[in-house]
Amino acid sequence: MDDLTVTTSYYIEAKWILLGLGEVVTWARMKFKPRKSRSMILRKGQIKTKFKLKIQGDEVSTLVDDPIKCLGKWFDDTLKDNTSVKTVQKDIGLYSRSSQLQLPLTSTLEECKVLKSRRVMTLRDSKDSKISKAGIQTRTGRKWSARTAVDQAGSILHHKDIVGNTCTGRQGYGMTHFQQWSKAIPKREQKHGAVRNKNRRRRTKKDKRQI
């Protein structure tokens, strides 16, 4: 068993969870290491040392009494390891796409990923075989690859084509429009198709007027 982190909303919940974990681990003839474990109880943003937690009968030290170093970083009651919370809250407030208040802003990282992905698709879907088969690589970072992201997005869309149009709740068949990715056409073809349809409509109107 590797490291284990337990997070609860109330102290009593943590107490019962640790009690259950202790029983299971004891049944498996294993043992936790309380001297390598730490506990922290927060109430209204303040650390409380009134309550103590135990695991397999041994008391777990608090960060106030005994700070600990993990992966080259110290964790203590100053909560310096949470300095990035404000940055995360700022990013969520500005660039969130699921919150109630959505601002028309996009992060620089997101824009960069979109541009890289568009470049991969432009080179891959080029009608010129010399360009599409040239093997041009789009440079990205080590953690994120534009080609991998495009392939994953294509796999997801292909899976949606297989599943088809599903009904939600009491919706009847055909209530929602579903555009299959396999039948979608590029923007250029859509634009040319729209121009052709527009010209055809003009011709039919002229013919009707002449009649």
Side-chain angles (χ1 to χ4, degrees):
M1 181 181 292
D2 204 347
D3 297 338
L4 182 65
T5 302
V6 178
T7 305
T8 60
S9 301
Y10 301 97
Y11 158 76
I12 192 65
E13 294 179 358
K15 182 179 178 180
W16 284 108
I17 289 177
L18 292 178
L19 181 61
L21 288 173
E23 293 178 355
V24 173
V25 172
T26 303
W27 173 83
R29 297 182 181 180
M30 300 174 65
K31 187 174 178 60
F32 284 106
K33 297 179 180 178
R35 63 183 182 84
K36 292 186 177 181
S37 303
R38 297 295 182 273
S39 64
M40 182 178 63
I41 300 175
L42 289 173
R43 185 177 183 182
K44 296 182 179 181
Q46 301 294 329
I47 297 179
K48 301 296 181 180
T49 58
K50 179 180 178 181
F51 305 100
K52 301 294 183 180
L53 295 174
K54 294 183 179 181
I55 184 71
Q56 291 181 322
D58 297 327
E59 185 176 324
V60 180
S61 302
T62 62
L63 289 176
V64 178
D65 300 330
D66 192 6
I68 190 172
K69 186 177 182 181
C70 181
L71 299 176
K73 187 176 182 180
W74 280 99
F75 295 87
D76 52 19
D77 58 336
T78 59
L79 302 180
K80 292 181 180 179
D81 54 301
N82 294 328
T83 53
S84 60
V85 173
K86 293 183 179 180
T87 305
V88 174
Q89 291 177 347
K90 180 181 177 182
D91 293 340
I92 293 175
L94 292 177
Y95 311 122
S96 177
R97 290 292 177 267
S98 58
S99 59
Q100 294 182 355
L101 178 60
Q102 299 181 12
L103 300 178
L105 301 175
T106 55
S107 63
T108 307
L109 178 61
E110 184 179 353
E111 291 293 337
C112 179
K113 289 182 178 181
V114 170
L115 292 176
K116 294 288 185 180
S117 301
R118 285 179 179 174
R119 183 179 180 184
V120 170
M121 296 178 66
T122 301
L123 296 173
R124 185 194 63 183
D125 301 335
S126 177
K127 294 183 178 180
D128 191 347
S129 59
K130 294 182 180 179
I131 296 177
S132 59
K133 296 180 181 179
I136 302 174
Q137 299 293 332
T138 302
R139 294 182 179 180
T140 54
R142 294 179 298 174
K143 296 183 179 180
W144 183 82
S145 174
R147 184 172 295 277
T148 304
V150 171
D151 293 340
Q152 290 178 353
S155 300
I156 294 172
L157 293 173
H158 180 64
H159 179 263
K160 288 184 178 180
D161 287 352
I162 296 174
V163 174
N165 192 6
T166 58
C167 297
T168 304
R170 297 184 178 180
Q171 288 183 349
Y173 180 75
M175 291 291 293
T176 57
H177 175 69
F178 175 70
Q179 176 64 48
Q180 291 186 349
W181 177 68
S182 58
K183 296 182 179 180
I185 57 178
K187 284 187 176 181
R188 294 181 180 178
E189 295 182 6
Q190 289 181 358
K191 186 176 180 180
H192 290 309
V195 173
R196 291 173 185 172
N197 292 333
K198 191 174 182 180
N199 293 333
R200 289 177 182 175
R201 291 176 184 175
R202 289 179 179 177
R203 291 175 184 175
T204 53
K205 288 182 180 179
K206 288 182 180 180
D207 295 339
K208 289 181 180 179
R209 289 176 183 176
Q210 291 177 0
I211 294 173

